[in-house]
Amino acid sequence: FELSDLEGRLITLESLRGQVVLLNFWSTLCAPCIAEMPSLNRLNSALRDKGLKVISVAIDSSDKPVREYVRKNAISFAVLLDKDKAVFFDDYAGPYLPVTYLLDRNGVIVDKFSGPQVWDTPEMKKRVMMLLEEK
């Protein structure tokens, strides 16, 4: 896919090859999505220096609420915009939110998480670290 971040830079999934990626789809209108964001932010802070790349894709039809949420909550990972929901529905088989995919360094989906998660548990960190340690 190719989506813009909040600064208008185009990000492609291909450009992330070689990194372990946690790809999260969410919306500011989704209470479970909002509930998991703090732990996703903490996971990103804990593991970004070890190579984890958290990418969040907001499917809101307007970027204004997304920008406000990101600013107010000091979100520390990349937030992309999928206003027409094409990537979400066409490429990642929506319609449930939140949904998150864990991709290995080759861009292969190794895990799918439906519904809200607590991302910064020791078990989740261990799961991600196993991928980060693979070369």
Side-chain angles (χ1 to χ4, degrees):
F1 65 75
E2 181 176 276
L3 293 171
S4 294
D5 67 10
L6 294 177
E7 285 76 45
R9 294 180 298 244
L10 284 179
I11 307 292
T12 65
L13 195 53
E14 184 65 31
S15 70
L16 302 171
R17 189 85 27 115
Q19 300 178 70
V20 173
V21 176
L22 196 64
L23 180 63
N24 172 262
F25 289 87
W26 69 293
S27 169
T28 60
L29 302 175
C30 165
C33 301
I34 297 303
E36 77 172 357
M37 279 294 169
S39 69
L40 191 58
N41 212 26
R42 289 190 300 270
L43 178 71
N44 180 63
S45 294
L47 298 182
R48 72 175 157 227
D49 291 341
K50 295 184 179 1
L52 178 64
K53 186 75 172 176
V54 175
I55 303 288
S56 140
V57 179
I59 65 165
D60 298 57
S61 55
S62 168
D63 64 337
K64 186 177 180 189
V66 176
R67 290 177 188 282
E68 287 176 10
Y69 181 84
V70 166
R71 182 184 52 77
K72 284 182 183 176
N73 294 281
I75 299 301
S76 61
F77 46 82
V79 176
L80 310 182
L81 300 169
D82 185 18
K83 292 181 187 179
D84 61 5
K85 301 170 184 61
V87 171
F88 178 59
F89 284 116
D90 297 345
D91 299 336
Y92 289 90
Y96 303 106
L97 288 176
V99 62
T100 306
Y101 299 88
L102 183 59
L103 290 78
D104 69 12
R105 294 181 190 280
N106 296 313
V108 175
I109 295 171
V110 295
D111 221 335
K112 176 183 178 183
F113 304 90
S114 297
Q117 307 295 313
V118 179
W119 293 105
D120 59 338
T121 64
E123 297 81 18
M124 191 64 74
K125 286 180 182 177
K126 182 179 178 183
R127 185 182 228 163
V128 174
M129 281 303 299
M130 286 175 44
L131 282 178
L132 289 170
E133 290 168 355
E134 291 178 4
K135 296 296 174 193

